[in-house]
Amino acid sequence: MPNTDILPALKVPKTMRAIVLPEANEAIRLNNAELKVPECSENELLIKVEYVGLNPLDAQYAKTGFCHWQYPHVLGLDAVGIVVNAPKGIYPNIGARVMWHASMGEQGVLSEYAKVPNYAVSVVPESVKPEQAAALPCAGMTALISLDKLQITEGDTLLIEAGAGAVGQIAIQFAKQRGADVFTTAAKRNHKLVKSLGADTVFDYQDKNLCQKIRRELGPQGFDAVLDSLGGEVTARNIELMRFCGRIACLKPLPVFEQELLFRKAPNISIVSLAGAWLANSLCAQQRMSFMSNLLLESVAKDELKVPEIDLIEFNAEHISTALKTQLAGGFTGKQVVKVSID
């Protein structure tokens, strides 16, 4: 390991290019901007951003705004880049390539430079492409947290909604590693994809007889667990398809439930929120995200996890705005990743 007391900081300009949201707006109108490079303190690393993974969450809050944001706001939560400055004795070292999921409450990572606490990053193995790593944090950690909250073990029957989405693709693979019998929903054109990832049974999410076909395939007992990424009426439907005291992990806000359904099914309902680790100022939760990031990267390096197909996006406001609209339109099976660094 190099002596961090003598490692020089890499040359950093005073200003940087960034993509900003001037204010929340339905059209997801973004601007190209020139901002000051962030100043770091204590255990923070300054990172030259190479790639940024886009998520539906970025698009949703570009439209509605977020209570902690000040405008103009730099969007983006998932990033990979090179450490260019770090306090003495802090790991990882200058020159390391790292991956991280940024705080929802602070400025994002769609900029040439960003700062992040050292304990919240994971070093990217040389065998993992940086653009693939940028696709992992939000979708991968959401999948892992969901499976942990659902307490998935060998023999469990698990329904994963939207199996062809990024969260669904990763969740299918890890659920199979844990020995679950995986059922999933997807458009017909994506059935081959989710089957290749390990799904045992796939249903067409547009099928008007979906519930009847699930019951015919599963039998009367119902699912042990459900990963519900859709929310709304689908959440209530999924609880109906669960066994008594079954487990459901919800990625969207909960609907209003009929009391009879809750009494009859007595579901164990979990809420999944990556943002909470930062908003609650939970150091343990932030460090756990780093541990999960390590698992994701190691799994890719060992060829135990297939990353969703990457679609590279140009680093400018117009292209990123269009990409975010695609995120909300649905039906997108890969990961859109912005290439920030031109080096």
Side-chain angles (χ1 to χ4, degrees):
M1 180 180 295
N3 185 345
T4 57
D5 289 337
I6 61 174
L7 280 173
L10 302 181
K11 186 176 181 181
V12 177
K14 293 182 179 180
T15 62
M16 64 181 183
R17 294 182 300 147
I19 308 298
V20 300
L21 181 71
E23 60 183 0
N25 63 92
E26 283 289 324
I28 311 185
R29 180 176 57 84
L30 307 176
N31 291 341
N32 299 306
E34 190 84 8
L35 303 177
K36 290 183 178 180
V37 171
E39 294 184 3
C40 300
S41 58
E42 298 179 353
N43 59 347
E44 289 181 326
L45 307 171
L46 182 65
I47 298 171
K48 184 176 183 180
V49 180
E50 296 178 296
Y51 293 92
V52 172
L54 299 181
N55 299 290
L57 203 62
D58 299 313
Q60 291 165 11
Y61 283 108
K63 295 180 71 172
T64 64
F66 186 66
C67 57
H68 289 255
W69 288 358
Q70 294 182 341
Y71 298 95
H73 177 75
V74 179
L75 290 175
L77 295 169
D78 293 349
V80 168
I82 303 295
V83 178
V84 294
N85 202 353
K88 291 182 178 180
I90 288 292
Y91 180 84
N93 310 138
I94 292 170
R97 173 173 284 129
V98 296
M99 176 187 87
W100 76 101
H101 178 75
S103 170
M104 170 71 78
E106 298 182 6
Q107 293 290 352
V109 293
L110 273 169
S111 54
E112 291 183 301
Y113 293 87
K115 64 178 182 178
V116 63
N118 76 301
Y119 54 77
V121 305
S122 294
V123 175
V124 180
E126 290 185 5
S127 60
V128 178
K129 295 179 180 179
E131 61 269 33
Q132 289 185 315
L136 291 173
C138 190
M141 287 191 282
T142 296
L144 287 171
I145 291 173
S146 298
L147 296 178
D148 285 347
K149 289 203 169 197
L150 292 172
Q151 301 176 2
I152 295 301
T153 57
E154 187 170 357
D156 279 344
T157 54
L158 168 67
L159 173 64
I160 297 175
E161 289 284 6
V167 173
Q169 289 187 41
I170 295 174
I172 288 171
Q173 295 176 76
F174 278 114
K176 289 306 299 178
Q177 290 178 22
R178 298 184 186 196
D181 294 326
V182 176
F183 300 72
T184 190
T185 59
K188 282 187 176 180
R189 66 180 181 275
N190 294 321
H191 283 199
K192 183 178 179 180
L193 168 64
V194 295
K195 280 276 192 179
S196 72
L197 297 174
D200 297 291
T201 306
V202 188
F203 301 99
D204 180 2
Y205 81 96
Q206 293 179 316
D207 194 327
K208 294 181 180 179
N209 299 313
L210 176 62
C211 289
Q212 294 94 315
K213 290 185 177 180
I214 288 176
R215 289 192 175 98
R216 189 183 311 137
E217 184 72 31
L218 182 65
Q221 68 272 21
F223 292 110
D224 294 309
V226 175
L227 198 170
D228 178 21
S229 58
L230 301 180
E233 295 179 357
V234 174
T235 303
R237 182 203 71 190
N238 285 335
I239 290 176
E240 190 67 62
L241 290 170
M242 288 160 46
R243 66 170 174 79
F244 181 69
C245 288
R247 312 178 298 275
I248 184 167
C250 300
L251 311 189
K252 296 287 181 69
L254 295 178
V256 176
F257 295 113
E258 292 185 5
Q259 293 301 304
E260 189 275 341
L261 173 65
L262 296 181
F263 279 116
R264 179 162 47 85
K265 288 290 186 175
N268 292 287
I269 301 174
S270 298
I271 305 299
V272 178
S273 169
L274 290 185
W278 296 102
L279 299 176
N281 198 27
S282 171
L283 179 59
C284 289
Q286 293 164 25
Q287 290 176 321
R288 182 167 177 247
M289 288 200 300
S290 177
F291 299 151
M292 287 188 292
S293 293
N294 289 335
L295 173 59
L296 291 165
L297 290 167
E298 290 168 4
S299 297
V300 174
K302 294 177 181 178
D303 203 25
E304 296 174 349
L305 177 68
K306 294 180 181 177
V307 180
E309 185 177 350
I310 304 298
D311 179 19
L312 287 179
I313 306 298
E314 189 176 334
F315 183 58
N316 68 55
E318 181 180 357
H319 285 80
I320 294 172
S321 176
T322 299
L324 291 176
K325 292 172 187 176
T326 301
Q327 292 281 330
L328 291 181
F332 185 73
T333 60
K335 281 291 294 187
Q336 293 173 311
V337 175
V338 179
K339 184 176 182 180
V340 178
S341 175
I342 59 175
D343 294 345

